[in-house]
Amino acid sequence: MNEDIQRYDDIIHLPHPEPSTHPRMTMENRAAQFSPFAALTGYDEATREEARLTDEKKELSDDMIEMLDARLAVLEQHLKEHPSITVTYFHQDEIKTTRETGGLLRPYKGQLPVVAP
């Protein structure tokens, strides 16, 4: 092994040669050569879509709508008192995906927010 090292004694301390025909590649460009590529186009999006947890928007029956209207009327009478409420509402997904419907059922507990007409 010592003999192998001695064979390169005359060049081991020389500066690294610079190419004369083209400029040296930047570190970013060199790194880009070894970055991963998308062998399966669309695979990441498909797996994200499949892993996404969603709820379906529930359609209310006429009886449920009537009951909610009555409760809202009571709340409307007590708006100045800032009543505490607990509701669950459907929040539609903002992500445009291949699924037709999707979103989350979100709970809200707190004072009734006043919304301007």
Side-chain angles (χ1 to χ4, degrees), residues 7-32:
R7 280 196 284 172
Y8 297 104
D9 277 346
D10 59 335
I11 64 169
I12 197 75
H13 299 291
L14 292 177
H16 187 47
E18 294 292 326
S20 60
T21 58
H22 53 80
R24 219 166 224 258
M25 188 180 287
T26 65
M27 291 297 273
E28 291 83 16
N29 287 344
R30 282 185 57 81

Side-chain angles (χ1 to χ4, degrees), residues 2 25 27 30-31 63-65 88 108 111:
N2 211 8
M25 188 180 287
M27 291 297 273
R30 282 185 57 81
D63 291 340
M64 274 302 260
I65 291 172
T88 302
Y108 173 81
Q111 287 188 324

Side-chain angles (χ1 to χ4, degrees), residues 79 82 111-116:
L79 276 179
H82 304 287
Q111 287 188 324
L112 179 63
V114 178
V115 180

Side-chain angles (χ1 to χ4, degrees), residues 10 13 16 20 22 31 33 36 38 44 50 57 66 70 81 87 92 97 100 113:
D10 59 335
H13 299 291
H16 187 47
S20 60
H22 53 80
Q33 288 182 338
D44 287 341
E50 198 59 37
K57 185 175 182 178
E66 200 173 302
E81 300 166 22
V87 295
Q92 183 73 40
T97 64
E100 290 181 19

Side-chain angles (χ1 to χ4, degrees), residues 21-56:
T21 58
H22 53 80
R24 219 166 224 258
M25 188 180 287
T26 65
M27 291 297 273
E28 291 83 16
N29 287 344
R30 282 185 57 81
Q33 288 182 338
F34 301 102
S35 65
F37 66 98
L40 301 173
T41 305
Y43 179 75
D44 287 341
E45 183 180 328
T47 54
R48 265 194 312 275
E49 169 66 18
E50 198 59 37
R52 199 167 54 90
L53 298 175
T54 59
D55 297 315
E56 286 189 29

